[in-house]
Amino acid sequence: MSKKSSKKSGSSVKGMAVDTWEKLEQVFESRVARVLNAMQIPTHDDVQELSARVEALTRAVEKLTGAPVKTTSKKATRKTKKKSSRKTAGRKKTARSKTSRKKKTGSAA
């Protein structure tokens, strides 16, 4: 097999793998979207649409009242919490004596 033909077949295999991976991603994304929709969890687009509607209503209220409306306008963003590197104190175990525990007895009746 020549180098030219091996490069050609290698690139076609790579292309097939990329295509397969992209199809897998699309299937996964559509299934996740379907589950989130079934759970009635709003999408990013839903949140953006609601934000735009709130802004429009705020402008309408300001126009009707003539006074600016106080807002705590924060854009909807995804925040990720950093995991704390310190350990949290665990719940202390209480010491129980062996006599305070109830022993299971087998009945032969």
Side-chain angles (χ1 to χ4, degrees):
M1 198 186 249
S2 69
K3 287 185 178 182
K4 191 174 185 179
S5 64
S6 66
K7 283 184 180 181
K8 193 174 189 180
S9 65
S11 65
S12 66
V13 170
K14 184 178 178 182
M16 288 174 46
V18 169
D19 290 342
T20 303
W21 187 253
E22 288 175 356
K23 288 178 185 177
L24 181 65
E25 284 181 28
Q26 289 174 349
V27 169
F28 178 76
E29 288 175 2
S30 67
R31 287 184 181 177
V32 169
R34 194 175 336 138
V35 169
L36 293 176
N37 187 29
M39 295 173 64
Q40 297 181 344
I41 295 175
T43 64
H44 178 73
D45 293 338
D46 294 337
V47 173
Q48 293 300 319
E49 181 183 336
L50 287 173
S51 294
R53 290 176 65 187
V54 168
E55 288 176 17
L57 288 171
T58 301
R59 286 191 299 272
V61 168
E62 288 174 347
K63 187 176 179 181
L64 289 173
T65 61
V69 176
K70 291 183 181 180
T71 60
T72 57
S73 176
K74 292 184 181 179
K75 289 188 176 181
T77 59
R78 293 184 185 179
K79 293 183 180 180
T80 57
K81 290 185 178 181
K82 291 184 178 179
K83 290 187 177 181
S84 177
S85 60
R86 63 184 173 155
K87 294 181 180 179
T88 57
R91 186 174 171 187
K92 292 184 179 180
K93 294 182 180 179
T94 57
R96 293 195 289 179
S97 67
K98 289 182 180 180
T99 57
S100 67
R101 294 185 198 165
K102 293 184 179 180
K103 295 183 179 179
K104 292 184 179 179
T105 59
S107 61

